[in-house]
Amino acid sequence: MTIQDLKDRGLIIFECITGSNAYGTNLPTSDVDIKGVFIQPLEDILGFGYVEQVNDAKCDVTYYELRRFLELISTSNPNLLEILNVPEDCVKFKHPIFDEVLKNADKFITKGARNSFAGYAVAQIKKARGLNKKIVNPVDKEKKSPLDFCYVITGYSSTPLVKYLEDMKLEQKFCGVTAVTNARDTFALFYDHAAVKLFSENGNKEEQAIMKQARKDSGLPMGYGFKGILLEGEDGFSSNEIRLSSIPKGVNSIATFNYNKDGYTKYCKDYTEYWNWVDNRNETRYNDNANHGKGYDGKNLMHCKRLLAMSLEIAQGKGINVRRPDREYLLSIRRGEYDYDTLIAESEAMVKDIDAAFENSNLPEGTDRKFTNDLLISMRKSFYNLQW
């Protein structure tokens, strides 16, 4: 079933503009979000053809079947409760039977809005913190290796292993490593000087060939056969594990180092999250945020403050005010006119006010299940013209 099917068959019973155009916070570049409610034919309800919702993600259009819609507003779903309270200029179509829902809109306003409106706002705060971290602390495209998280222990301090190898002019692939017993992620480092002379890419090929033949003629090994610190592949190091080697008796270690494996694991997670965000972010929105230079996503925090304000209004018995009286303030947040830490602190303080307001509110705990069920039956009977 498609949106066009719904329209062609006259199944849509309510359609409206939602989002920023309904809030009054839209910009010339804002998309127009459409939501609505439809009612399926009786044969689909009785048979196996029931569909909860139909949407077109490309056009930001979503329609909910009547039963699903009533289920969602009964759980105080913020986006759908707003449908019942959009300004008149946002209503595109209304079937007469939908008046049964609209005239009972207040019965769906309950204390459940605390967890839906304010809860969603709290999630936006967490999202804002994550976005702030990404904006303020970008991750280099060139990915680090486990070597960057290894440190040579020198007395009471440590030296990055990469720097140690560079200073000592050692190549990691000629290193041998063995674990230090009873010391987590701590390793002894060995070096195969003979193998370096024979196989290093920095050596003279003709001299190396002569030395290899001489060792072969004398029955000497070509080195210790150390495996290096990490396995090298075509695209760099292909493992996050330290590579262990068999160390012959009598060979002395040149250093002891620690591998911060937990730190590398977290880095890999942050790296993946950051570059996935870069690949999928809205560039226009990102550039707007970068231009205001406050280190936060203005649209994200604008929605956070809007949801908190609406939640407090609900708790105070002022209903659901979709068209925002604080439009200019919200848009100023989007433009980055406020300090990030101040906005976060204000939002967190507002959550406490909301909790107190709901605690003292006379709103019902939840929606009356029998009322919602009777409403659904009544609307279906009216639409299908049923007489029982």
Side-chain angles (χ1 to χ4, degrees):
M1 183 178 291
T2 66
I3 291 174
Q4 193 59 49
D5 291 334
L6 298 179
K7 293 181 177 180
D8 292 344
R9 298 168 67 183
L11 300 177
I12 295 174
I13 59 175
F14 190 71
E15 182 181 57
C16 66
I17 296 171
T18 61
S20 60
N21 286 276
Y23 307 138
T25 57
N26 56 298
L27 301 177
T29 55
S30 297
D31 295 328
V32 178
D33 300 329
I34 303 293
K35 284 187 174 61
V37 183
F38 69 96
I39 188 166
Q40 281 192 267
L42 183 59
E43 59 268 23
D44 291 341
I45 301 298
L46 297 176
F48 292 105
Y50 185 73
V51 175
E52 288 190 340
Q53 71 181 60
V54 178
N55 65 281
D56 184 343
K58 293 181 180 179
C59 301
D60 294 314
V61 178
T62 305
Y63 294 88
Y64 301 86
E65 209 285 322
L66 178 61
R67 186 179 77 189
R68 181 58 176 161
F69 175 73
L70 292 175
E71 286 175 342
L72 290 172
I73 61 174
S74 294
T75 61
S76 299
N77 181 288
N79 293 328
L80 298 193
L81 277 180
E82 289 174 6
I83 287 180
L84 300 183
N85 298 274
V86 294
E88 284 295 324
D89 58 62
C90 290
V91 177
K92 293 172 63 68
F93 174 76
K94 178 174 67 66
H95 191 286
I97 69 164
F98 200 74
D99 285 329
E100 289 194 55
V101 180
L102 294 177
K103 70 183 181 183
N104 289 291
D106 289 348
K107 293 184 179 179
F108 293 97
I109 301 177
T110 70
K111 287 186 176 180
R114 160 60 186 87
N115 292 328
S116 58
F117 280 79
Y120 186 65
V122 170
Q124 292 295 302
I125 293 174
K126 293 179 180 178
K127 184 178 180 181
R129 289 186 185 281
L131 286 170
N132 174 258
K133 180 180 177 182
K134 290 182 175 69
I135 293 170
V136 176
N137 300 304
V139 178
D140 289 340
K141 183 63 175 177
E142 184 177 352
K143 191 174 182 180
K144 295 180 180 179
S145 83
L147 285 180
D148 296 299
F149 291 79
C150 293
Y151 299 86
V152 173
I153 300 169
T154 53
Y156 293 103
S157 63
S158 63
T159 301
L161 178 58
V162 172
K163 185 177 186 306
Y164 174 83
L165 295 176
E166 182 179 341
D167 290 345
M168 300 297 290
K169 296 181 172 53
L170 305 177
E171 297 180 56
Q172 82 88 22
K173 63 182 177 181
F174 296 113
C175 291
V177 175
T178 187
V180 174
T181 57
N182 301 317
R184 181 173 181 260
D185 295 330
T186 302
F187 304 88
L189 182 68
F190 301 81
Y191 199 66
D192 193 339
H193 293 280
V196 173
K197 293 179 180 179
L198 297 172
F199 300 102
S200 175
E201 294 179 1
N202 298 321
N204 183 288
K205 302 305 179 186
E206 293 182 0
E207 291 179 359
Q208 287 177 335
I210 294 171
M211 286 188 289
K212 287 176 186 177
Q213 188 60 50
R215 293 183 74 90
K216 183 178 180 180
D217 293 341
S218 302
L220 296 173
M222 297 295 173
Y224 297 127
F226 292 159
K227 298 179 179 179
I229 303 172
L230 295 173
L231 178 64
E232 290 187 88
E234 292 183 3
D235 300 321
F237 299 114
S238 57
S239 174
N240 65 348
E241 298 289 344
I242 299 298
R243 204 173 188 204
L244 302 181
S245 297
S246 296
I247 309 298
K249 289 183 180 181
V251 178
N252 295 321
S253 64
I254 60 172
T256 301
F257 70 91
N258 179 264
Y259 171 35
N260 183 6
K261 186 176 180 180
D262 291 340
Y264 181 67
T265 300
K266 182 181 183 303
Y267 163 77
C268 288
K269 180 175 179 292
D270 292 342
Y271 179 92
T272 300
E273 286 183 355
Y274 178 81
W275 286 104
N276 282 342
W277 170 69
V278 170
D279 291 340
N280 296 294
R281 71 190 177 193
N282 182 310
E283 284 301 317
T284 300
R285 181 170 168 180
Y286 171 74
N287 289 330
D288 287 343
N289 295 325
N291 289 335
H292 67 57
K294 292 299 178 66
Y296 63 78
D297 185 323
K299 187 174 181 180
N300 171 255
L301 277 177
M302 177 186 71
H303 283 312
C304 172
K305 295 287 277 188
R306 174 185 60 79
L307 285 162
L308 289 172
M310 293 178 71
S311 181
L312 185 58
E313 291 164 359
I314 291 170
Q316 294 172 338
K318 298 178 182 178
I320 298 175
N321 301 301
V322 175
R323 181 63 53 80
R324 298 309 303 156
D326 51 354
R327 172 183 183 273
E328 291 304 322
Y329 169 64
L330 293 174
L331 288 174
S332 67
I333 293 174
R334 181 168 186 168
R335 291 191 296 267
E337 296 180 9
Y338 295 88
D339 178 70
Y340 169 79
D341 291 330
T342 299
L343 288 173
I344 293 296
E346 288 176 353
S347 298
E348 291 176 338
M350 203 168 179
V351 171
K352 295 180 180 179
D353 293 338
I354 290 168
D355 286 338
F358 271 105
E359 185 70 26
N360 298 318
S361 171
N362 293 321
L363 290 172
E365 294 295 330
T367 306
D368 186 321
R369 180 72 175 178
K370 183 178 184 306
F371 158 73
T372 307
N373 186 69
D374 291 345
L375 178 62
L376 175 60
I377 292 173
S378 173
M379 293 180 70
R380 288 211 190 281
K381 286 172 67 175
S382 177
F383 188 83
Y384 303 141
N385 196 27
L386 300 174
Q387 301 301 317
W388 82 79

